[in-house]
Amino acid sequence: MRLYDDAARPEETGPRMAPGSNLELVRQRLAAARNITVLTGAGISADSGVPTFRGADGLWRNFRAEDLATPEAFERDPRLVWAWYNWRRELIATKQPNAAHLAIVELERRAPTFWLVTQNVDGLHRDAGSRKLSEIHGNIWKVRCTGCHAVSENRDVPISILPFCPQCRALLRPHIVWFGESLLAADLQQCSTVLRNCDLLLVIGTSGVVYPAAGFATLAKEAGAFVVEINLDSTPQSSLVDVSLQGRAKDLVPLLLDPT
Ligand code: OAD
């Protein structure tokens, strides 16, 4: 399935609940759950100072995705695309995981069965210590050769523009899934498995408009999971989840683990 953006957001319909009245319910469900899946988006890293894509200062408010995050853009002007990713690398390199990233690591440690699916490419979940995870949109600290397709880690800041493969000398590209590209089949398979099998899905800090991840809450719900959304705002998924908690991820996610 290719990555695409659902610009048309449906009207919000369902009820939303105040955080206080539902925290205890979510805590109990979380403590009892045997099989937990977490889906995260840019909102969880917003609390670390990483810009989101669609918020007030979101990247797609100031930059055009079609100029920077498509295979056609890279073919047209690889220097421009690399310059943009280099700027994002410089920015992300100064950021640290926050309390929400750390709480998810603790959840991984406590839950009998656990999987984290992140749309974020910033690597902050790994930095925090998450190990059972799929970075379905790639990782900004990895590069992929356009010739031999080898993937390698590259933490250079700044990265040389343009970077070339040390093995075959072809141009390297960011190891990111761009608009119009497909997610890795193995990642899709893993997502399908964990969404079908989880008894609780936590959806944190995603606007829920980029597919296939935007469909994950529905898939889990159809498979019988209790679905909880944590977001500053309402989203197209708010009306279908069991509990929608509004607030900052860095405040709410730790509260789900440790009652105050
Ligand atoms: P968006 O920028 O679309 O959405 C961020 C969401 O986080 C919004 O719903 C905000 O309300 C919420 N949010 C912001 N700050 C928050 C906070 N402190 N606590 C909780 N929620 C907060 O980001 P994504 O949904 O992740 O793709 O975007 C999906 C994909 O679109 C990205 O992975 C990226 C982009 O194009 C690629 O780069 C391939």
Side-chain angles (χ1 to χ4, degrees):
M1 180 185 284
R2 290 176 199 282
L3 195 72
Y4 67 99
D5 190 332
D6 176 15
R9 291 168 61 136
E11 288 293 307
E12 308 301 335
T13 48
R16 271 187 315 281
M17 305 169 191
S21 59
N22 286 283
L23 271 176
E24 195 47 44
L25 169 65
V26 177
R27 268 192 208 122
Q28 286 167 5
R29 298 298 294 239
L30 207 55
R34 300 206 52 76
N35 195 328
I36 297 172
T37 298
V38 178
L39 169 66
T40 64
I44 193 167
S45 293
D47 287 330
S48 293
V50 180
T52 64
F53 293 93
R54 296 175 184 80
D57 294 322
L59 294 174
W60 298 150
R61 301 267 176 152
N62 300 307
F63 300 96
R64 282 159 40 95
E66 50 275 48
D67 291 341
L68 300 166
T70 64
E72 294 77 22
F74 190 68
E75 221 163 275
R76 210 167 38 236
D77 195 345
R79 274 179 197 282
L80 176 72
V81 173
W82 263 120
W84 190 65
Y85 277 97
N86 189 49
W87 170 73
R88 286 181 62 198
R89 280 173 164 242
E90 286 179 334
L91 193 148
I92 292 167
T94 65
K95 309 303 179 199
Q96 306 294 326
N98 62 57
H101 294 103
L102 297 173
I104 291 172
V105 178
E106 179 59 19
L107 210 50
E108 173 179 328
R109 201 185 63 75
R110 288 187 198 179
T113 307
F114 177 90
W115 200 259
L116 166 63
V117 178
T118 186
Q119 300 167 86
N120 298 345
V121 301
D122 55 34
L124 290 182
H125 283 298
R126 272 187 201 282
D127 293 348
S130 286
R131 291 296 172 265
K132 294 179 181 173
L133 81 166
S134 304
E135 294 172 310
I136 60 171
H137 291 172
N139 186 306
I140 201 162
W141 303 114
K142 290 182 180 172
V143 292
R144 186 164 82 242
C145 179
T146 56
C148 68
H149 308 296
V151 176
S152 55
E153 189 164 310
N154 179 314
R155 290 203 164 247
D156 296 350
V157 177
I159 191 167
S160 73
I161 296 176
L162 299 165
F164 289 95
C165 177
Q167 266 79 47
C168 74
R169 309 306 309 160
L171 184 60
L172 294 172
R173 58 164 279 178
H175 185 50
I176 304 268
V177 180
W178 284 327
F179 285 106
E181 294 188 314
S182 298
L183 268 61
L184 286 180
D187 283 341
L188 271 178
Q189 181 57 51
Q190 174 69 2
C191 289
S192 161
T193 302
V194 296
L195 291 163
R196 253 188 292 113
N197 293 329
C198 67
D199 38 51
L200 190 143
L201 171 69
L202 265 183
V203 181
I204 306 170
T206 176
S207 56
V209 295
V210 175
Y211 285 81
F216 288 176
T218 306
L219 285 179
K221 193 84 194 100
E222 284 169 359
F226 188 78
V227 182
V228 179
E229 177 183 65
I230 294 179
N231 200 299
L232 266 186
D233 229 326
S234 59
T235 74
Q237 269 78 55
S238 302
S239 55
L240 67 91
V241 301
D242 293 288
V243 177
S244 177
L245 299 173
Q246 289 196 2
R248 291 191 176 281
K250 79 165 170 38
D251 299 330
L252 289 176
V253 185
L255 278 185
L256 299 181
L257 291 175
D258 299 307
T260 46

